[in-house]
Every structure is written in structure tokens, then in C-alpha cells.
Amino acid sequence: MTQDPYEILGVSRDADADEIKKAYRRLARQLHPDVNPDPETQERFKDVSRAYEVLSDPGKRAAYDRGGDAFSQGFGGAGQGFSFTDIMDAFFGGGGAAAGAGARGPRSRARRGQDALIRLDVTLAEAAFGVTRDLKVDTALRCEACEGEGTAPGTKPVPCETCHGQGEVAVVQRSFLGEIRTLRPCAACRGYGSVIPDPCRECSGDGRVRSRRTLTVKIPAGVDHGTRVQLTGQGEVGPGGGPAGDLYVEIHVEPHKTFTRHGNDLHTTISLPMTAAALGTHLTLPLLEADLEPPKDSDPDSRPVTTYDLDVRPGTQSGSEQVIRGFGVPSLRGGRGDLVVSISVDTPTRLDPRQEELLRELAAIRGEEQPDGQNEAPHKSMFGRLREAFQG
């Protein structure tokens, strides 16, 4: 059997690290015992793994190139063993993907912070027309004493003595393939590759402190109950002074005493006496704009209209609706909904003798002293009326 690791992997002596790794991965996929279980193939797989162990280690490769014995450099299995991670790379093509790790080497102390969520109660008018609020937010902020580094003033992190700054340590296990070496995060430094011997007293080495701050939030016109307004970069600052997450402001709209919202339409109900509904009338209807406080020192001519002159037609029935176009809720995408006014006709329950006399006289004139009380067909839907129209 050839003892030259270059010939075993099929690479030239001036091959770089990438060529050596590609050659090893190609052979490992062909010769792995799970693919070819015969004993001869297993022996070749061991030879390939040992050859790669020598050539993938700069120190061992240099010693072999100077005329050293490959077996004495771990080629015969007496060394530290081959990397299990490299075997899995041959099949999955990732840096430590099979072991559940990300990129090799020390991980950064700075990480993105979490998103935060707060609730904001607004009135229906504020949700419809927009509002600017000052909010007090309790979140993690970057520590100003150490500027997010987590170290006491005048000090810096030092390399970990356990992993020598690599952030990971090798764990060797024996198997039928020989010694398998896996890389795991260093427990001494938690994978950072460095330790903080003198942490900042303000943040205890975390690089951030909790504090209350005031944010000015502009809520756009047209938001609805449950809408979330995103404030990028206003959430929790990450560990190690990492970038902040986002802050989400969830809108909760308080019920209104007069108006209800359906999409971008507003609905309201007005009560009319029986006589006004029968004869028709004119009334002044307050709009949702009436709930807004006018800006100080504003020009009266520039203030929004707060009332609408509504004409009620004679003979208006209870339950009928009048639609006022363009007086609903502004849409987030432009435009504005409608105001739907429902009419409720009040029937008097107590009459004095004179009122009762007048009503009886009216009933006699209209021939309604003894009404027939005939049953009426149920109201057909719009689709039912259209169907009847098409059917003639």
C-alpha cells in the first residue's frame, strides 16, 4: 500500500488546502462504510482519512514535506485522529452542519437584541386621523460606561487559556474508524474565544443596562384595532452592545359612545320623533372630527368641519339608512370611507288627552281607525331582487 498521503488523495505536492479538502470529500463519499461496507473499502477509507489528517494540518504537512515519517505525524492513527466534522462536510457540504454548529471559530459577543411590544390605547378619532404620542419605554440600552464592550474602563478581553482563542475545543472519541475528533464550544469562555477578567460594574459584563426612555411615536391616520406600528431599531439592545431589535406598538382603539367602525366606514344611529320622520326635518349631525382638539393658535378657517347638515326626507321609515360619502375613516392607502346614518323612529308611549285626540283625528282622516294588519312578505335581499328582475 502506498504510504504517500499525496498519492492516496490523488493531489500534487503543491496543492492548496481547498484542493486537498475537495479531494478528501470526493473520496470519502465513495469509500465511506455506509456506502461500501466491504472490508477492503473500509481500509482504504481509513487510509484516506489518515492522509487527510496529515495534509490538512499545516504543521504535520510541513514535517512530512521535510522528510518526516507520516505515521509518526498521526498518519497511522497514533496521533489526535481525524475530524468527524470534515467527514460530515464531505456528505453535507457545510462547516460543521452535521454537528449542529455554525461557522467555525469564536463567536461574537455582540448579538442582535430582541423585539419589544407595547400597547397603546387611542380614541376612535385618534386612530382615524392619526396622533403623535410620547411613550415611556423600559428596554435594554447600550451601557455608556463601557460602550457595550462589557469590560471595565481601561481593560480589554483576554484570550481564553483553554481554547487559546479558538472558541472551541476538540473532543476525541474512539470508534471502529479510529479516533474521531469533534469540535465543541469551549465551556470556559462559552465559545467567545476570550474572557473578561474585569467586567464593567455598570452592566456586569453584558454590555447593556435596563433603562426607561421616552419615544415620540407618530401613529398614521387610518389604523385599526390590533394594528402594529413598527419602529425599526427601537427595541432591546443586544448582548455585547449588539444592534437593537424593533419595537412594535400595538393599537387598541377605545369604544366610542356614538360611532362604530366597520372597515373604513363609520356607523351611527339617530332617533327622530314620529312627527319629524313623517313630515321630514333638518338637523345638524356631529361628525367624528368634533372629538379632535384643534391645534393651539390655529387659523379657524383651516380647522376641520365638525358637523354635517342632514336633510331627513318626509316619510322616512325606522331602520332606513342615509349614506354620507367621504365622511368615514381615512384609509392607510388613500381615500376615505363613508358615514352611514341609521334612522330610528320613536313612537310616543304616553299621550295627554289633547295629543290622543289629535292622533285619533289623524287616524280618522287617513282611514286607519281599524287597520287590516296584513302580513308582509319578508324583505328580499339584493340578490333576490336581481334574480326576480332577470326572471321577468
Side-chain angles (χ1 to χ4, degrees):
M1 181 187 64
T2 303
Q3 301 299 313
D4 184 359
Y6 290 102
E7 293 185 15
I8 292 176
L9 292 182
V11 296
S12 62
R13 289 187 173 272
D14 58 353
D16 58 21
D18 287 338
E19 293 180 76
I20 292 173
K21 178 174 285 189
K22 289 179 181 178
Y24 168 71
R25 288 180 175 178
R26 184 180 65 256
L27 292 172
R29 285 195 294 265
Q30 297 174 0
L31 304 174
H32 194 274
D34 289 343
V35 179
N36 292 291
D38 63 283
E40 182 179 351
T41 302
Q42 291 186 21
E43 288 299 324
R44 287 191 59 196
F45 179 72
K46 291 180 182 180
D47 291 340
V48 168
S49 300
R50 294 165 185 167
Y52 178 67
E53 180 189 352
V54 173
L55 298 184
S56 63
D57 188 313
K60 294 180 181 181
R61 181 179 180 182
Y64 176 74
D65 290 341
R66 290 194 299 267
D69 185 359
F71 286 96
S72 66
Q73 297 298 324
F75 188 54
Q80 294 180 347
F82 56 86
S83 170
F84 179 73
T85 306
D86 288 329
I87 294 179
M88 300 313 294
D89 283 351
F91 288 90
F92 299 100
R104 297 179 185 176
R107 60 191 181 105
S108 174
R109 292 182 182 274
R111 302 193 301 277
R112 183 184 184 274
Q114 294 182 346
D115 296 336
L117 176 66
I118 60 173
R119 167 177 166 167
L120 177 62
D121 294 325
V122 298
T123 65
L124 179 59
E126 291 172 336
F129 304 113
V131 66
T132 299
R133 287 279 191 89
D134 290 334
L135 299 180
K136 294 187 181 297
V137 184
D138 185 8
T139 59
L141 301 178
R142 191 180 73 160
C143 178
E144 298 297 333
C146 64
E147 298 183 348
E149 295 294 330
T151 57
T155 66
K156 292 184 177 181
V158 298
C160 175
E161 296 181 355
T162 301
C163 65
H164 305 290
Q166 298 300 314
E168 53 190 10
V169 294
V171 179
V172 180
Q173 296 177 324
R174 294 186 177 275
S175 73
F176 73 96
L177 298 175
E179 293 182 343
I180 298 180
R181 179 166 54 92
T182 58
L183 297 177
R184 297 180 182 177
C186 176
C189 64
R190 295 186 294 174
Y192 296 125
S194 62
V195 294
I196 300 178
D198 192 6
C200 172
R201 295 184 179 181
E202 295 294 328
C203 64
S204 301
D206 190 41
R208 56 182 182 169
V209 293
R210 297 205 69 83
S211 179
R212 175 165 291 187
R213 57 194 170 116
T214 301
L215 288 177
T216 300
V217 181
K218 185 177 181 180
I219 304 301
V223 297
D224 203 350
H225 189 84
T227 300
R228 289 187 177 183
V229 179
Q230 180 180 8
L231 303 179
T232 304
Q234 296 296 334
E236 300 273 351
V237 168
D246 299 333
L247 176 65
Y248 291 88
V249 180
E250 187 173 83
I251 305 300
H252 284 242
V253 182
E254 300 170 349
H256 195 275
K257 61 181 180 181
T258 303
F259 297 100
T260 57
R261 178 176 178 176
H262 298 276
N264 290 327
D265 293 337
L266 288 176
H267 289 248
T268 188
T269 300
I270 59 174
S271 298
L272 291 179
M274 178 182 63
T275 53
L279 300 174
T281 186
H282 175 83
L283 54 86
T284 300
L285 180 67
L287 299 174
L288 185 60
E289 284 87 342
D291 291 357
L292 297 175
E293 294 184 5
K296 296 180 180 179
D297 303 326
S298 62
D299 184 2
D301 294 334
S302 64
R303 295 178 183 177
V305 177
T306 58
T307 59
Y308 182 84
D309 295 331
L310 182 67
D311 289 323
V312 180
R313 296 180 294 273
T316 296
Q317 301 296 307
S318 185
S320 62
E321 294 180 344
Q322 289 188 228
V323 179
I324 306 174
R325 303 294 181 186
F327 281 89
V329 176
S331 172
L332 289 170
R333 299 180 179 179
R336 188 170 176 179
D338 301 327
L339 174 60
V340 181
V341 181
S342 298
I343 307 298
S344 175
V345 178
D346 289 337
T347 302
T349 56
R350 293 184 180 180
L351 300 173
D352 60 29
R354 177 58 179 161
Q355 294 171 345
E356 184 176 352
E357 180 184 352
L358 290 174
L359 281 179
R360 291 188 181 278
E361 183 178 347
L362 176 62
I365 295 174
R366 292 179 56 85
E368 297 174 349
E369 298 97 326
Q370 296 292 330
D372 295 338
Q374 295 179 355
N375 293 335
E376 292 185 357
H379 293 287
K380 292 184 173 63
S381 66
M382 179 185 68
F383 295 104
R385 294 194 298 270
L386 286 175
R387 185 171 60 252
E388 290 184 356
F390 280 113
Q391 292 175 351

